[in-house]
Each structure stands twice: as C-alpha cells, then as structure tokens.
Amino acid sequence: MSGPDFIPAAVRARLRDLRLEGRRATGGHGFGQHRSRSRGAGLEFAQYRAYEPGDELRQVDWKLYARSDRFFVREAERDSPLTAWVLVDTSASMAQTDAARPGWSRLDLARGLAACVFELALRQGDQFGLAAVGGDGLRLVPAGAGPRHRDRCLLELHGLRAGGTWPAESTLRPLWERLGAGHLVLVLGDDFDEASVALMEKLAAARREVLNLQLLTAEERDFPFRGGHRFRDPETGQELVGDAPAARASFLAEFGAARRALHARLAAAGIRSETAWLDEPMDLPLRRLLAPGAAERA
C-alpha cells in the first residue's frame, strides 16, 4: 500500500516542495530543515525500498539496479529531531458532506491530509504517529518510521468511521504517554467541540508544538440554500427549520465571528491554525499552514 487512494497524483507531485517545520527546533534549525535519511559514515543501513518520484538519485543503489533492472533506494537510520503526530476528530459531525463535492466528507479530507503529513515525514526521515478521537474513544498508532509504518497508519485511516461525540477527558490519558514535549501535533477536525479546542490548548501549554486545520464545508462558507430548510445537528439530533434566504446574512455573520474568535483563541495559545475547505485541493491548506516563516509569524 502506498496511499494513492488518499493522495491524488497531482497533489502528491506538489508535496515535493513542502516541509514540516515548527518553532521548537533542534540544534538551531527548524523542523524539516534536516536530512535524517541519507548515506554516510556512522549511519546504520536499515532497508531497501522502491524508488519514488522526488527521491534523490544519490540514494539509488546502482549495483542493485544493474542486477535487477529496477530502481531501489537505500535507507539508513539515525536519530531525528522531529516526531510528528496527526490527531483526527472522528465524531459524528466529521461525516458532513458538501453539495459542492458530493460524496466527499470532512473525514475524507482528514484522511487525505493525514496521508500527506505521513508522506512528508517519511521523505524527511522523521517519526510519525496517528491518534483518532471520537465516539469509539481513542485509537492510537504509536510513532514509528519508514514505509511499513506509513502503510500501517494508512491502514488505520481506512478503518476510521465518523460517529458519536467527543469522549471524556479520562479516555485521552494515553495521549500524554505518547506525545512527548516538543513533538509536533497536527489536529484535523471541525473544531465544533469545546473539548477538542481545550485539548489543543492543554497540549500547547505542555510544550507540544500544535498545529490545527479546521475542516469546513463550502456550504458553511457560502450558505447557498434556497427556500425552507431543515438543519440537523448530527451529534445531538437537534433540528432547526427556517427560511434559508432570510437566515443567510445572520448565519454568515455569526459563523464568521465564531471562526475569528476561535482562531484568535488558538493564536493566543501559540497554536498555528488555518481553514481547510472541502471544495479546494487538499494541499492548499497545508501550504498555508506550512508556508516558510509561518512558525515565526504565529
């Protein structure tokens, strides 16, 4: 498994110039400014893997190519200054889809974004792990490295389903055993649960490097509804019936104000945050979040 079902080919090609980075650097360099997987003295050989577009030609084992007529890359292991985690919200609201892109939900976008982060960490030679939080409680894939670990994380992504509500805080205690100080944590969710926002603040206060992508629909951005409409909260079951055109202006004003307040709150906690819309290519919000200098501006 290499995850092509999660990452479209065009997006995969554009990932080549993205790097994971953060404010808490090691040795005076930002995250993603290191080369953890390379050949040289003092490095222990780990394994071969098939050549992938974007790999450096100097990593290709040309002797093995002469024998097999196939391109393989030598990988070596060394200590890495970065451990990246992806925390995915799997509560019921993550099943929300969008008429602008039928059949594509918040959770689908979260899967794609998570796969992109795993790919970036893999190319940088860094460790990465996955945490999913929702109605099923907490599901963890401990941090590891290499293609096989990437495939393990992708397999876990395949099995994620949206349902239920954000669990009790006690359910999340194992997170604190895994997420060490200085680890990079990207939280993917709609940020509608106060408990999820509070968790991000606590992680940041405990010296974790927290990033956030708020996953929202184009309908929430544009409110294109016509006539009478029934709106239902997937987690509480509460319903609201009203005339959509009459409610549009007030909804957009209140929703915009809520988003600005959320991002200001996260910024006050030292958390970089961006919005990922369901109708845009998945690498665009990552580019906004990981743009050079974004860490210093936060």
Side-chain angles (χ1 to χ4, degrees):
M1 181 191 300
S2 59
D5 52 332
F6 289 129
I7 309 177
V11 172
R12 183 178 293 276
R14 293 195 296 266
L15 291 179
R16 296 176 185 174
D17 60 347
L18 280 182
R19 295 289 183 272
L20 297 176
E21 62 178 7
R23 288 187 298 271
R24 298 189 177 100
T26 299
H29 299 283
F31 292 148
Q33 306 306 309
H34 54 283
R35 295 187 180 275
S36 297
R37 183 177 295 130
S38 59
R39 299 172 64 182
L43 297 179
E44 181 179 357
F45 172 73
Q47 63 183 350
Y48 287 107
R49 66 169 172 83
Y51 175 85
E52 296 180 356
D55 288 332
E56 297 182 13
L57 291 179
R58 65 186 180 88
Q59 292 180 276
V60 174
D61 191 307
W62 297 104
K63 291 183 179 179
L64 185 58
Y65 168 74
R67 295 196 302 270
S68 64
D69 199 34
R70 296 179 60 190
F71 291 103
F72 289 93
V73 171
R74 291 176 58 93
E75 292 185 338
E77 293 181 348
R78 58 180 286 186
D79 291 337
S80 167
L82 173 63
T83 297
W85 287 87
V86 178
L87 193 158
V88 179
D89 177 358
T90 60
S91 60
S93 61
M94 290 293 287
Q96 181 70 39
T97 56
D98 199 331
R101 190 174 179 181
W104 182 251
S105 69
R106 296 190 221 270
L107 185 57
D108 291 326
L109 177 56
R111 290 191 185 101
L113 289 167
C116 288
V117 172
F118 298 151
E119 197 67 25
L120 292 174
L122 178 66
R123 292 181 182 182
Q124 293 177 191
D126 295 316
Q127 292 196 333
F128 51 94
L130 171 66
V133 181
D136 292 334
L138 174 66
R139 297 172 63 171
L140 272 174
V141 178
R148 291 184 179 178
H149 184 70
R150 182 266 314 275
D151 293 347
R152 181 184 177 191
C153 290
L154 295 180
L155 184 61
E156 185 69 16
L157 286 177
H158 266 295
L160 296 183
R161 297 293 181 269
T165 60
W166 193 267
E169 185 176 1
S170 59
T171 305
L172 306 182
R173 286 174 184 166
L175 273 177
W176 299 98
E177 301 173 4
R178 300 288 185 175
L179 275 61
H183 285 190
L184 183 69
V185 185
L186 173 61
V187 180
L188 303 174
D190 53 33
D191 299 344
F192 291 161
D193 290 289
E194 166 61 25
S196 70
V197 179
L199 174 63
M200 286 189 274
E201 291 175 322
K202 291 178 181 178
L203 288 170
R207 298 182 58 245
R208 276 68 172 176
E209 183 77 19
V210 182
L211 310 180
N212 170 244
L213 282 177
Q214 185 182 26
L215 313 186
L216 298 176
T217 68
E219 292 173 336
E220 288 166 328
R221 180 189 64 210
D222 304 330
F223 205 79
F225 308 108
R226 298 176 180 273
H229 224 81
R230 183 187 300 271
F231 301 95
R232 182 177 181 275
D233 187 321
E235 295 185 11
T236 66
Q238 292 182 333
E239 293 186 347
L240 176 65
V241 179
D243 180 67
R248 184 174 188 273
S250 61
F251 171 83
L252 292 177
E254 292 178 15
F255 192 66
R259 286 184 56 230
R260 289 190 295 273
L262 170 66
H263 289 275
R265 177 180 171 183
L266 294 177
I271 298 169
R272 283 185 278 154
S273 180
E274 291 286 347
T275 302
W277 303 101
L278 262 62
D279 64 344
E280 67 180 358
M282 66 177 65
D283 60 307
L284 288 186
L286 280 176
R287 288 184 178 281
R288 293 192 291 266
L289 192 67
L290 302 178
E296 289 72 20
R297 292 193 299 269

